[in-house]
Amino acid sequence: VLSLALAVLMAAVGETIGLWYLVRRLSVPPEYLSSALVCYHFGVFLAAVSAVSVPFSALMLSGERMSFFLVVGALESAAAIAAALVAKMRGVNGVEVFAGVLAAGGGLSLIVHIVCCRAVFPGVRLRLSCPAARLREAATFLSWGALSSVGNAVKYKGASLVVNGFAGVAFNATWDVAIKAWQYLHGFCADFMQAFSPVLFKAWGAGERRRVASVAAWTTFASFLIAAVPSAVVFAFAPELVRVWLGEVAPPQVAAFVRCSVVNLVFDAASNPLTTTILASGRVALYHSVACSLSVLGFAVAWLLLASGFPAWTSMAAVAATNGLALVYRALHVWFILSRNSFGESTAT
């Protein structure tokens, strides 16, 4: 019920305030506005569908049905590949078709979620009523989680708008590529952690302090390596890659922008397992409050730097620096909850 309400809210806000901002505030060339609107509507639909899918994913995860996520991941990858192939066909608007196929893939993924949950858990049914105590507990977790999501949106989307307003086309394109890379790597690391989430949650519930610490430590190290190895290559050869991508006309600061973006990717990837460990404790209020504050701080510093005349790459440096601070905070938070005498007790605070 809460996920459905969130999906409706996201769609309502996206199709009103978001649409107004796209048309009235963003600098979209007139010849591209119609395509931008089509892609935007597909994006809103995909976001709403993703919100509705969350409880079904959680149910399958609680049952440790990891083969389900393999199938869903394969379907989503196939949709992305199909979208890329169809977008290259002559006589079609590649951007619109790409967004449409991805949206259709999201709808198909939701259908698979529902069908599989009904098959694996036949006793589970969707009800529009819920016990008040459970509803309050779920609403508490959802509201704190939404706070972090808002902070991330402000940090990345807000900083993107700032770059759009203060920098040139090359930096806008580089920022878009950096965000896409972050999304894919973040999704990969999240899928990687998804396989170990049941282990962490069960170990926490059983009070197995050493097991929780061990899983959190090695998954953090593994996520760091997954991101660090390709990022090191990009960091070392950033000027060459920029020249291949944008040609000799690329501003010299774009390479620094790219280097800051890959550092940001590494910090974010290493944070995923720590975040999962914190969420397993159930004590989320402090964590989400600090995480949101750091995200907003990243956006604020990026805006102040560009508004003060600093180079465009400093905006990404600000985002990366606050992500580094967030990584340190998460590590300290995990150390603190593992050292408490009340280890193993979960509350929604």
Side-chain angles (χ1 to χ4, degrees):
V1 174
L2 289 174
S3 295
L4 186 61
L6 179 61
V8 172
L9 178 62
M10 290 170 61
V13 173
E15 293 295 344
T16 53
I17 300 175
L19 187 61
W20 170 82
Y21 195 89
L22 171 64
V23 175
R24 299 294 183 183
R25 295 297 180 184
L26 292 184
S27 54
V28 180
E31 61 271 21
Y32 297 121
L33 182 58
S34 60
S35 294
L37 290 173
V38 171
C39 294
Y40 179 80
H41 293 312
F42 279 133
V44 171
F45 170 79
L46 188 57
V49 166
S50 300
V52 177
S53 301
V54 169
F56 299 102
S57 292
L59 187 61
M60 297 299 288
L61 184 61
S62 66
E64 298 188 47
R65 307 284 180 166
M66 307 316 296
S67 58
F68 163 79
F69 295 101
L70 177 63
V71 173
V72 172
L75 285 175
E76 292 175 347
S77 299
I81 293 172
L85 292 176
V86 174
K88 290 185 177 181
M89 295 175 58
R90 293 184 178 180
V92 299
N93 187 312
V95 176
E96 295 180 11
V97 171
F98 184 81
V101 175
L102 287 183
L108 178 61
S109 176
L110 175 60
I111 295 173
V112 171
H113 276 74
I114 296 172
V115 171
C116 289
C117 282
R118 290 179 66 89
V120 176
F121 304 100
V124 177
R125 292 291 181 269
L126 176 63
R127 297 186 304 174
L128 296 180
S129 61
C130 181
R134 289 189 178 182
L135 186 62
R136 284 195 298 270
E137 184 179 9
T140 300
F141 278 100
L142 180 64
S143 58
W144 286 116
L147 183 64
S148 276
S149 298
V150 169
N152 262 329
V154 169
K155 177 173 63 176
Y156 287 111
K157 298 299 182 182
S160 176
L161 294 175
V162 168
V163 172
N164 182 278
F166 286 95
V169 176
F171 286 101
N172 290 338
T174 307
W175 181 276
D176 289 340
V177 172
I179 294 301
K180 285 296 183 184
W182 172 81
Q183 289 173 342
Y184 286 123
L185 184 61
H186 181 84
F188 181 82
C189 291
D191 291 341
F192 170 75
M193 271 309 301
Q194 206 166 40
F196 298 96
S197 294
V199 177
L200 273 174
F201 279 81
K202 287 182 178 179
W204 181 276
E208 299 175 0
R209 186 195 313 264
R210 289 187 177 180
R211 191 180 185 192
V212 172
S214 175
V215 174
W218 82 260
T219 51
T220 299
F221 182 67
S223 296
F224 171 79
L225 286 181
I226 290 171
V229 172
S231 295
V233 176
V234 175
F235 190 94
F237 298 98
E240 291 78 6
L241 292 173
V242 168
R243 281 196 295 270
V244 171
W245 177 37
L246 296 176
E248 297 296 335
V249 296
Q253 299 174 4
V254 174
F257 194 96
V258 170
R259 283 172 168 162
C260 291
S261 69
V262 297
V263 171
N264 179 64
L265 287 175
V266 174
F267 287 156
D268 188 83
S271 294
N272 272 321
L274 299 175
T275 299
T276 303
T277 306
I278 294 169
L279 296 181
S281 73
R283 298 181 174 89
V284 296
L286 176 61
Y287 164 70
H288 285 308
S289 299
V290 175
C292 179
S293 299
L294 289 173
S295 295
V296 174
L297 176 64
F299 162 71
V301 174
W303 179 81
L304 285 173
L305 288 172
L306 293 185
S308 301
F310 283 86
W313 66 267
T314 58
S315 61
M316 182 57 83
V319 172
T322 52
N323 248 5
L325 288 175
L327 174 61
V328 173
Y329 163 71
R330 291 182 178 102
L332 292 174
H333 193 122
V334 169
W335 173 82
F336 176 73
I337 61 177
L338 289 176
S339 63
R340 291 187 62 174
N341 293 330
S342 56
F343 176 84
E345 300 176 6
S346 295
T347 60
T349 58

